[in-house]
Amino acid sequence: QVQLVESGGGLVQAGGSLRLSCAASGRTDTTYAMGWFRQCPGKEREFVARITWNSGNTYSADSVKGRFTISRDNAKNTIYLQMNSLKPEDTAVYYCNARLGKVAPVDYWGQGTQVTVSS
C-alpha cells in the first residue's frame, strides 16, 4: 500500500556529513508521521527522528540532537535526514518509516540504507 525507498547512504569519515532521502509512494493520504530508525551492529533497531506529516513537528533521539535534522518535502512525499558531525557510533543501517493513522496505526518500512562512518 505504501512503498518507501531510501537513498543517500554511503561511507564517510568521522566529522563528515550525509543526507538521507526517503520517497514515499502509494496510498499515503493518511500518513500521520514519517521518520528514521537505525540498527547498529549488534544492537536492536532504535528510533532516530520523526516528523509529523501535517504539522511538521519534529522530534529526535537524544543521541543525535544537535547533529541530525529531519525535514520534509510535502509535494514530493519525501523526508530527509541531514546528518552532520558523524561519529563511528552512527554506523548503522538506516530505515525509513511511515506511520499511517493516528489510532490503530500501521507502519511501513523501507529496505534500509547503509551508513558507515570511519575513524
Side-chain angles (χ1 to χ4, degrees):
Q1 296 187 40
V2 174
Q3 296 80 45
L4 304 173
V5 180
E6 302 103 330
S7 62
L11 175 65
V12 66
Q13 291 184 328
S17 299
L18 284 174
R19 189 181 74 160
L20 306 183
S21 300
C22 175
S25 61
R27 298 186 179 184
T28 62
D29 290 350
T30 61
T31 298
Y32 172 70
M34 293 184 66
W36 295 93
F37 289 70
R38 69 185 182 187
Q39 188 163 13
C40 301
K43 302 289 186 179
E44 297 290 329
R45 187 177 298 188
E46 66 177 355
F47 168 79
V48 176
R50 71 107 173 90
I51 184 166
T52 303
W53 201 246
N54 289 335
S55 69
N57 292 338
T58 62
Y59 181 79
S60 60
D62 289 343
S63 60
V64 305
K65 285 182 178 177
R67 299 189 299 121
F68 292 9
T69 302
I70 188 169
S71 61
R72 66 177 179 178
D73 185 332
N74 288 356
K76 297 181 179 179
N77 289 315
T78 299
I79 62 167
Y80 307 91
L81 186 68
Q82 179 65 47
M83 304 185 294
N84 298 326
S85 301
L86 283 162
K87 306 173 181 178
E89 64 199 71
D90 295 318
T91 295
V93 178
Y94 284 73
Y95 295 92
C96 181
N97 165 258
R99 174 159 286 186
L100 274 61
K102 187 176 181 180
V103 295
V106 178
D107 285 323
Y108 294 87
W109 298 91
Q111 289 187 309
T113 185
Q114 176 70 231
V115 171
T116 302
V117 184
S118 62
S119 301

